[in-house]
Amino acid sequence: MASSPAVLRASRLYPWSLKSRAQLLRSPQMKQVGRIISVPARMAATLILEPAGRCCWDEPVRIAVRGLAPEQPVTLRASLRDEKGALFQAHARYCADAHGELDLERAPALGGSFAGLEPMGLLWALEPEKPLLRLVKRDVRTPLAVELEVLEGHDPEPGRLLCRARQERDFLPPGVRREPVRAGRVRGTLFLPPGCGFQHSEEPGPFPGIVDMFGTGGGLLEYRASLLAGKGFAVLALAYYNYEDLPKTMDVLHLEYFEEAVNYLLSHPEVKGPGVGLLGVSKGGELCLSMASFLKGITAAVIINGSVANVGGTLHYKGETLPPVGVNRNRIKVTKDGYADIVDVLNSPLEGPDQKSFIPVERAESTFLFLVGQDDHNWKRPGPFPGIIDIFGIGGGLLEYRASLLAGHGFATLALAYYNFEDLPKNMDNISLEYFEEALCYMLQHPQVKGPGIGLLGISLGADICLSMASFLKNVSATVSINGSGISGNKAINYKLSSIPPLGYDLRRIKVAFSGLMDIVDIRNDLVGGYENSSMIPVEKAQGPILLIVGQDDHNWRSELYAQKVSERLQAHGKEKPQIICYPGTGHYIEPPYFPLCPASLHELVNKHVMWGGEPTAHSKAQVDAWKQILAFFCKHLGGTQKTAFPKL
């Protein structure tokens, strides 16, 4: 495989679509000689691919064009034909830079099949010429050839061909061995890595083993297994119906067949134990979940858009049976394009008789990785999900952006307003925790929220409300405070017969910065008595863990000092020290990643523009890290699969 870039000029032409061929024939700069189109040798443009000529399908390719006119508009077009001759194409419009060069890693597409900075867009945006076709590779021993063309101008009628190139993309990496498997009842293909150990060491095998399965449709697909073998895994692409002498349908499946496949792999001299991994998509993912739940010798399983219930046919293993989850075809919807949408067709495996179809994953001894497409229309993403209540600070109203991002990470999140919104009070005269208790109960009773408790996330005053909720209310499993104070600041906090008096403030302590902005960092009254001050929230009553996130340049109040007082109070009452993460150069408004720093804005309390603190670079890095910390904290304490994040700052 070539390791250096190849410069491929328009001296050799390959087959192209009838439309592009007709466009070339119309060009006055080209002439037809028999069935050959000759391109003038004076063309200076060159198409550069790296790697050149040939590479594996899962390798990225760098695409660049040189020799164009400065800022010249061009159209890049990619095409390939599958094993049955079906044509797939994609195109995008670009402009060269001031030097007449175009590098898809730096230049955004201006439109076409995609837009924006997408270096591999010409491949992932390929669409079939005839609709409703899926690109599938059945014979991994032959490559797919991708044709790349550079055409003058933009759509709808790009001009003459400037240059072109061809790249063959392999599915059988160099040195990978392909061995058909006909062992007992097992039917499939085993792919073994080259004669070098795992991760390209100089030692020979054995190698980690994987069983790879696809979904409805049956047969045998090998292209994912062959690519994995190139990464150092011994992979068995396993057929389970509609292949050779296997059953023609999946009405009845027996896990003993899959057990035989696992044992075959474990007994192979090129496979190291003590267990194997499983990889499956759709029905294949569901079968991997069942194998991990019933069979021995499974170390890890990756489930790609699989169901948590048995679907399509009856599954047997020894004396146990999982019936298929019920189907209601009346729930099929028809889209405006005339396609059937089956996302709601399955009954819920969480209720009624369909609970018998739920795969007993609690029996599994393996580690799971679930990969979920959140717009999957084959079936619904399972719930319920860990719950979070998200609260912001002074200003009131309802802000939803943080909650919506959290939901994208698998949390059912309630963005909660508490004043100055719809029929809620216009002003915040006092804080009554009974309202927040009602929100907590609402979340716990929601069918898509799993208990027994939920998480709280708040910033500024919202953080202090979250700390108060954790201290007084039941069923709070974890709390994250972003630049909170742990104090009843300006308004009393009430719950039933308990009341926390406000600490109060003195506006005479406002300072005026050189910029003319107000600095309110010192306006609060002194915390007389330290952590035992009567305005301190009794955080020692909280049942769940607390994460305190602190911006060390916060100019709203002394967040670092207050976090220390919260920690001292907890420890003085025999509680565990909370996790505190401090970020230098970071101001008050720590947002989700990539929000710009807000250095100053109007403060409702003083009705003036005040400074919030923070240095742009440090604040930006803090936001990225803090978001990882929040997600890891909630995954750990509310139930999730994300690993713990370690602070980088």
Side-chain angles (χ1 to χ4, degrees), residues 496-545:
K496 297 182 177 177
L497 299 178
S498 299
S499 181
I500 304 176
L503 181 65
Y505 57 90
D506 186 349
L507 294 179
R508 291 174 297 178
R509 297 194 189 103
I510 294 178
K511 302 172 186 175
V512 180
F514 182 76
S515 61
L517 294 170
M518 302 294 172
D519 188 346
I520 63 171
V521 69
D522 291 318
I523 69 169
R524 277 192 167 184
N525 293 336
D526 293 337
L527 198 61
V528 178
Y531 62 80
E532 292 294 350
N533 187 286
S534 61
S535 294
M536 283 285 295
I537 297 168
V539 289
E540 70 275 9
K541 297 181 180 179
Q543 300 300 309

Side-chain angles (χ1 to χ4, degrees), residues 135 376 533 604:
L135 181 61
D376 183 3
N533 187 286
E604 182 182 275

Side-chain angles (χ1 to χ4, degrees), residues 61 104 112 165 173 190 237 269 307 334 358 413 420 431 457 480 527 545 568:
V61 58
L104 269 59
L190 179 64
S307 169
V334 180
F358 204 98
T413 311
N420 196 24
I431 299 172
L457 172 61
V480 176
L527 198 61
E568 291 174 3

Side-chain angles (χ1 to χ4, degrees), residues 119-149:
M120 291 293 290
L122 288 170
L123 267 72
W124 62 251
L126 287 165
E127 293 184 348
E129 184 180 43
K130 295 181 180 180
L132 307 182
L133 289 181
R134 176 186 172 196
L135 181 61
V136 175
K137 191 72 175 80
R138 298 193 179 277
D139 186 356
V140 300
R141 294 167 292 185
T142 60
L144 284 176
V146 179
E147 306 284 348
L148 292 163
E149 298 173 320

Side-chain angles (χ1 to χ4, degrees), residues 369-634:
L369 171 62
F370 289 86
L371 301 178
V372 177
Q374 292 182 308
D375 193 34
D376 183 3
H377 278 254
N378 188 57
W379 42 45
K380 281 186 174 180
R381 180 185 181 187
F385 310 100
I388 295 174
I389 294 178
D390 186 24
I391 307 174
F392 280 78
I394 287 181
L398 179 63
L399 295 176
E400 300 177 350
Y401 60 89
R402 192 167 60 192
S404 63
L405 293 172
L406 283 168
H409 289 275
F411 299 99
T413 311
L414 173 63
L416 183 63
Y418 55 99
Y419 82 100
N420 196 24
F421 180 73
E422 295 185 349
D423 58 349
L424 294 176
K426 295 300 180 184
N427 301 305
M428 188 180 55
D429 296 326
N430 60 72
I431 299 172
S432 298
L433 289 181
E434 284 83 356
Y435 170 79
F436 299 91
E437 186 175 41
E438 190 174 342
L440 187 66
C441 293
Y442 165 83
M443 283 291 283
L444 287 171
Q445 293 170 4
H446 197 286
Q448 287 296 303
V449 176
K450 70 176 183 181
I454 65 164
L456 305 176
L457 172 61
I459 185 171
S460 193
L461 174 62
D464 290 335
I465 291 174
C466 288
L467 290 171
S468 300
M469 293 171 67
S471 301
F472 287 98
L473 308 182
K474 302 291 186 183
N475 300 314
V476 176
S477 297
T479 303
V480 176
S481 162
I482 302 175
N483 281 332
S485 68
I487 296 169
S488 176
N490 307 323
K491 305 294 180 181
I493 299 174
N494 303 309
Y495 180 63
K496 297 182 177 177
L497 299 178
S498 299
S499 181
I500 304 176
L503 181 65
Y505 57 90
D506 186 349
L507 294 179
R508 291 174 297 178
R509 297 194 189 103
I510 294 178
K511 302 172 186 175
V512 180
F514 182 76
S515 61
L517 294 170
M518 302 294 172
D519 188 346
I520 63 171
V521 69
D522 291 318
I523 69 169
R524 277 192 167 184
N525 293 336
D526 293 337
L527 198 61
V528 178
Y531 62 80
E532 292 294 350
N533 187 286
S534 61
S535 294
M536 283 285 295
I537 297 168
V539 289
E540 70 275 9
K541 297 181 180 179
Q543 300 300 309
I546 296 171
L547 169 61
L548 303 173
I549 292 176
V550 175
Q552 291 182 304
D553 193 36
D554 185 357
H555 278 255
N556 186 62
W557 49 47
R558 302 285 182 182
S559 295
E560 187 174 8
L561 170 66
Y562 292 150
Q564 184 61 37
K565 295 304 178 184
V566 169
S567 179
E568 291 174 3
R569 182 173 181 118
L570 284 169
Q571 293 176 82
H573 287 81
K575 293 299 185 76
E576 186 176 340
K577 183 179 180 180
Q579 182 182 2
I580 304 175
I581 304 176
C582 295
Y583 295 101
T586 303
H588 187 66
Y589 281 117
I590 299 176
E591 301 274 24
Y594 314 122
F595 267 75
L597 169 67
C598 176
S601 66
L602 184 69
H603 194 293
E604 182 182 275
L605 177 65
V606 298
N607 197 30
K608 293 183 184 295
H609 288 89
V610 305
M611 54 193 300
W612 301 115
E615 186 276 325
T617 300
H619 193 94
S620 174
K621 291 179 179 179
Q623 288 184 157
V624 172
D625 190 71
W627 189 246
K628 294 178 182 178
Q629 299 299 328
I630 291 167
L631 294 175
F633 182 81
F634 281 139

